[in-house]
Amino acid sequence: MKKLMQKLCYLFLVVLTVAMSLSGCLTAVAHADDGVDAQAAITMDAQTGQILYQKNANQLRAVASCTKILTLAVIEQDVANGKLKWDQKIKINHHVAKTSTDWHFSNVELKQGHSYTVRSLCESMMIVSADGSAEALALADAGSTQAFNKKMQAVAKKAGVTDAKIYNMIGLSNGELGENGIKGVSKKAENAFSAKDMALIARYLVNTYPDALNITKENNVEFKVSDKQSYNMKNINAMLPNNGAAPKNGTMDGLKTGSTDKAGNCYVGTGVFNNRRLITVVLGTDIKDFSKQFNATNKMLEAVQGAYQPVNIKQLSNVKGVSSKVKVAHSKLSTVKVGMKQPVALWLPKGTNLKQVNGEIILKSNLRTIGGHKLRAPIKNGQAVGSLKVAPIKGMPSVKIPVVAQQSVAKHSVFN
């Protein structure tokens, strides 16, 4: 009898272990190795900000030339507000020309006294990581490294980044910028962002300035160095279509690589997978093997696509425990209709559906009554009133989807 009990207990443990393994394969993608050989990594849905994979995602690290994604976001902003124009020409001074021919850096040659358009400088900065071009853009836009940094910090804040260390527009050490470095800062200081920071910045760029992808998706672009000299720029992003590391189940169309001894090899990418735009980040891959940043990204994408699938939410009531009506105070009406501005998709573990996902509506603090369960009238149709909070993947951060009023509600008056 004792031996029988021992065998039954053993059998129970085996079954339990297998069951836990099967359930864990759908929810623990972020904690498994999955072959993602990087110091830090993250995958994020560009529309919702839902995190699908993370590894040391909040750890600040040097990111080298991935910094130029933020630099491009600042330039895009200043083109949009009229401070710069794409066809505007920037004249190259002695220092920038010297930077552009320094063999230690990534570059296209910029000749002193020659002028290049904002567009061509952005192309060279993003396609072949031209450091001189990044420096020329920043100095023409803001006048100094320090002034441009303030713009970088402001755009990073708009993207949701608050903890990054930003020293320059390129991603080099402060000392490597020579006379354009920031005084009073260590020469060894390099920009530092977390994988999540870089994902948020990339997400902000592609959502706010989607035309940026028209630059980053180009495989080959001709750069006119002078009237008599041109250079064919081959994009160093090996994950673009028709390149060796191009993913099998989706299409990459950007963004940027980066590499220094301190940062290792890094890659921030974006592309469409399962009909959803994703942002991928891998930081700190082996500096001696340029391909590992792309291999790690593909492994991460395979893990995500193997475990999850996007499911559309057409209305709030599609989610378990969520109503399309919210109680309202100070009005003749007892409730107000709410919904999303547009349908969105959540990634769920394969084999699950929205009715298995719990959600709740979190009302904006300045609009809700004490206790937080009712909105205060008046409410305008289309007004943002809160967010739908859901946690569709175990072990991952919750997702917040904006919720708006779908009708106007007048404030109750004693005179009517």
Side-chain angles (χ1 to χ4, degrees):
M1 184 68 179
K2 185 176 180 180
K3 290 183 177 181
L4 178 61
M5 289 298 294
Q6 288 176 335
K7 288 181 178 180
L8 288 173
C9 288
Y10 175 78
L11 182 61
F12 173 77
L13 288 172
V14 169
V15 172
L16 180 63
T17 301
V18 171
M20 290 177 67
S21 297
L22 289 174
S23 64
C25 71
L26 296 180
T27 59
V29 136
H31 307 293
D33 181 13
D34 298 319
V36 181
D37 187 10
Q39 293 299 314
I42 196 170
T43 297
M44 178 183 289
D45 185 284
Q47 182 192 22
T48 64
Q50 182 181 4
I51 295 173
L52 306 174
Y53 185 104
Q54 60 180 0
K55 176 181 179 181
N56 299 327
N58 295 307
Q59 182 185 91
L60 285 181
R61 298 186 56 83
V63 300
S65 284
C66 291
T67 296
K68 292 165 184 168
I69 298 170
L70 180 55
T71 300
L72 180 60
V74 175
I75 299 302
E76 287 274 5
Q77 170 190 269
D78 287 351
V79 169
N81 65 25
K83 178 176 174 54
L84 295 172
K85 294 181 179 179
W86 288 117
D87 60 356
Q88 177 180 333
K89 291 192 173 182
I90 295 174
K91 191 172 182 179
I92 303 304
N93 63 27
H94 169 73
H95 179 86
V96 171
K98 185 178 179 181
T99 297
S100 77
T101 55
D102 191 321
W103 66 269
H104 294 92
F105 308 146
S106 300
N107 268 313
V108 294
E109 182 182 1
L110 302 175
K111 292 188 177 293
Q112 182 179 348
H114 282 247
S115 295
Y116 304 88
T117 65
V118 170
R119 177 77 181 193
S120 64
L121 291 172
C122 282
E123 287 174 340
S124 59
M125 175 179 73
M126 299 304 291
I127 293 172
V128 293
S129 200
D131 294 341
S133 296
E135 190 173 40
L137 286 163
L139 296 178
D141 180 75
S144 70
T145 301
Q146 193 157 2
F148 192 78
N149 278 2
K150 290 181 179 179
K151 290 191 171 190
M152 293 175 76
Q153 289 163 5
V155 170
K157 188 175 180 179
K158 287 182 181 179
V161 175
T162 58
D163 59 346
K165 296 180 180 179
I166 302 173
Y167 300 110
N168 61 68
M169 70 300 281
I170 298 173
L172 296 172
S173 68
N174 186 52
E176 286 174 308
L177 264 72
E179 65 185 52
N180 284 326
I182 300 178
K183 293 178 174 59
V185 173
S186 169
K187 290 184 177 182
K188 296 181 179 180
E190 284 189 33
N191 299 341
F193 300 82
S194 68
K196 184 179 179 181
D197 289 340
M198 291 310 307
L200 289 171
I201 291 167
R203 180 191 179 207
Y204 176 82
L205 176 66
V206 300
N207 286 341
T208 311
Y209 309 107
D211 64 292
L213 296 176
N214 292 330
I215 294 175
T216 64
K217 71 181 182 182
E218 292 293 334
N219 256 314
N220 290 277
V221 174
E222 201 74 15
F223 183 85
K224 194 171 183 180
V225 178
S226 67
D227 293 337
K228 297 180 180 180
Q229 181 183 356
S230 63
Y231 170 66
N232 182 261
M233 299 185 296
K234 168 66 177 173
N235 202 318
I236 56 180
N237 180 358
M239 296 196 75
L240 293 177
N242 303 315
N243 283 267
K248 296 178 181 178
N249 298 312
T251 303
M252 280 284 192
D253 48 17
L255 281 162
K256 189 74 190 68
T257 61
S259 179
T260 65
D261 289 341
K262 187 174 181 178
N265 283 318
C266 306
Y267 176 62
V268 180
T270 186
V272 178
F273 301 84
N274 296 68
N275 295 315
R276 302 290 300 168
R277 177 163 294 283
L278 298 181
I279 306 295
T280 66
V281 181
V282 293
L283 304 179
T285 67
D286 187 355
I287 188 66
K288 297 178 181 178
D289 189 344
F290 190 70
S291 67
K292 282 195 173 181
Q293 59 195 313
F294 307 124
N295 294 338
T297 301
N298 273 322
K299 287 289 185 182
M300 183 166 57
L301 285 167
E302 289 167 9
V304 167
Q305 291 180 290
Y308 311 131
Q309 62 181 356
V311 177
N312 289 323
I313 306 178
K314 295 182 180 179
Q315 54 190 22
L316 294 176
S317 57
N318 291 154
V319 179
K320 183 180 178 181
V322 178
S323 171
S324 58
K325 292 184 177 181
V326 172
K327 292 181 180 180
V328 62
H330 314 307
S331 171
K332 287 184 177 181
L333 297 178
S334 60
T335 61
V336 57
K337 292 180 182 178
V338 295
M340 302 171 295
K341 285 186 177 181
Q342 59 186 5
V344 299
L346 286 178
W347 291 74
L348 306 182
K350 288 184 175 179
T352 63
N353 57 59
L354 287 171
K355 287 302 181 184
Q356 295 171 274
V357 178
N358 290 308
E360 62 175 325
I361 293 178
I362 308 296
L363 302 177
K364 294 183 77 169
S365 59
N366 63 325
L367 296 178
R368 67 193 183 202
T369 58
I370 296 174
H373 303 302
K374 293 183 179 181
L375 286 169
R376 295 195 312 269
I379 302 294
K380 293 182 180 179
N381 186 21
Q383 181 178 358
V385 296
S387 59
L388 169 64
K389 183 180 179 181
V390 287
I393 300 176
K394 185 179 179 182
M396 293 291 183
S398 59
V399 186
K400 290 184 178 180
I401 299 167
V403 170
V404 299
Q406 294 186 325
Q407 65 180 116
S408 294
V409 178
K411 186 176 182 179
H412 177 68
S413 169
V414 295
F415 299 107
N416 54 29

